[in-house]
Structures are given as structure tokens and as C-alpha cells.
Amino acid sequence: MDQQLPYAHDIFPHIRIVLGMVIGLGVTRLLSGLARIVQHPGQYRLYPVHLAWVASVLLMLVHFWWWEFGLFQIENWTFGKYLFIIFYAVTLFLLCALLFPDSMLDYTSYEDFFYSRRAWFFGLLAAIYLLDVIDTLLKGPAHFAHFGTEYLIRTPVFVALCVIAILLRDRRFHIAFVAGALVYQISFILRLFDTIV
């Protein structure tokens, strides 16, 4: 009996299911952390920078799920491409886990926790910006060119800011970084990703 080879449009939904599971775990982690804050508001002192990064990463996850629809353009799927996409999603999940740990017993506040884990958080965030370049290239030269010079400037600037955030504990820098990142992220999505196609 002849076995019919799957078409690219048959493979993509299969891969999207796995992506959805990993991204869903990240969204669940963030929403559970926020629900815990609502349930026990006085348990640990809140920190606006931490909450702003929670909002930014939640938006990043929702945006990731939206823009990964562009993967339908890939006609020749390999295990390496599949593994890369899963690795990218897992990195996003780990970023979520660094915002809300399993236990806060070792910390006095979310500010204390955030700064004690900032090297991991911003290291992963920098990696995500770099992974995004590979992801964009996977979708083809036309897709990459769509973002123009802005994209080529955006990535090294954000990676550099992440490196500075690892080295600096200065509150003013961290407030400015997360505020600027959120505003830019919203602007970038509205300008370049308002529609899927």
C-alpha cells in the first residue's frame, strides 16, 4: 500500500499544536502568578517594574502565537527547524518561570526576587531577541525584508539594553527600560502585525 506524503499545510497545524501547548504553559504561569497576587495582595510587596515585565512578556507570548502563523509559508519542514521553533517557545516559557517562581520563601518582595534573578531574566530576554532573527529568516527573505532597517537596529539595541540591565541595578534605568520596551512593543505590533497576512 502506497503511503501518501504529507503536504506542508498538513504539517504546520501539527507543529502549531505543540507550540500552543508550550506557550499555553507560559501564559498559565503568568496568569497564575497574577491570580496569586490578587488572592494574597499583602503576602509580598509588589514592584511596578516586575509587573510591567509581566505585562510585556504576556504580550510577547500572545504576539508570538499570532506571528508564528507565518510559519505556514515554510514548505520544507525539517526536524532541525521544528526543534528550533520548540526551543524558541521553551525559552519564552522559561522567561515566564523567572517572573513567578514556585516559591517566594527566599525573598522579601518581588523587587528583591526580580533583581536577584535579573541576570537570568535579561540573559533569556536577549536570547529571545536573537532567536527572533533566526525565526524571521526561516519565514523567507521577503518576510525578513518586510521589517526594513528598523528591525536591524532594534535587535542589537535591545540586546545591548539587556546586557546593561544585567550589570545595573539602578531603578531609574529599569523603569525607563521596561516603559520604553512596552511602548515600543505595542507600537511594533500595531504597525507591522495588525493583520496576519
Side-chain angles (χ1 to χ4, degrees):
M1 183 179 233
D2 289 339
Q3 185 178 4
Q4 190 176 12
L5 291 174
Y7 293 105
H9 66 270
D10 296 324
I11 297 171
F12 176 63
H14 177 72
I15 292 169
R16 197 159 160 87
I17 289 168
V18 178
L19 279 181
M21 290 189 305
V22 178
I23 294 303
L25 288 171
V27 170
T28 301
R29 185 76 175 221
L30 294 180
L31 295 181
S32 295
L34 290 172
R36 196 166 52 244
I37 288 172
V38 171
Q39 291 165 353
H40 308 286
Q43 190 171 25
Y44 295 101
R45 196 171 69 250
L46 300 180
Y47 184 46
V49 170
H50 170 260
L51 290 175
W53 279 116
V54 169
S56 179
V57 172
L58 184 58
L59 182 58
M60 193 180 294
L61 291 174
V62 172
H63 184 214
F64 178 85
W65 186 245
W66 178 257
W67 89 59
E68 286 304 346
F69 189 78
L71 293 172
F72 81 92
Q73 298 171 0
I74 297 176
E75 293 183 11
N76 182 25
W77 276 99
T78 63
F79 187 73
K81 290 176 185 174
Y82 167 72
L83 204 59
F84 169 78
I85 296 299
I86 298 304
F87 177 74
Y88 191 176
V90 166
T91 307
L92 285 165
F93 168 77
L94 291 174
L95 200 63
C96 298
L98 283 168
L99 285 169
F100 287 111
D102 291 329
S103 170
M104 287 281 292
L105 292 176
D106 296 334
Y107 308 99
T108 58
S109 66
Y110 281 100
E111 180 178 3
D112 178 34
F113 167 73
F114 179 76
Y115 285 116
S116 71
R117 291 288 168 255
R118 74 182 186 277
W120 280 98
F121 178 80
F122 290 109
L124 278 176
L125 187 60
I128 284 167
Y129 286 120
L130 296 173
L131 290 172
D132 183 63
V133 174
I134 299 167
D135 179 76
T136 304
L137 286 169
L138 273 179
K139 293 170 186 148
H143 181 78
F144 189 87
H146 169 72
F147 301 114
T149 309
E150 176 185 354
Y151 188 72
L152 298 174
I153 295 169
R154 175 194 99 127
T155 302
V157 166
F158 273 106
V159 169
L161 288 170
C162 286
V163 171
I164 294 168
I166 289 170
L167 301 173
L168 271 179
R169 191 185 166 124
D170 184 87
R171 287 189 177 119
R172 289 169 299 175
F173 170 80
H174 283 275
I175 290 168
F177 184 16
V178 72
L182 257 174
V183 169
Y184 180 80
Q185 186 178 8
I186 292 166
S187 163
F188 191 70
I189 291 169
L190 292 177
R191 288 182 294 112
L192 298 171
F193 289 94
D194 192 40
T195 57
I196 286 183
V197 287

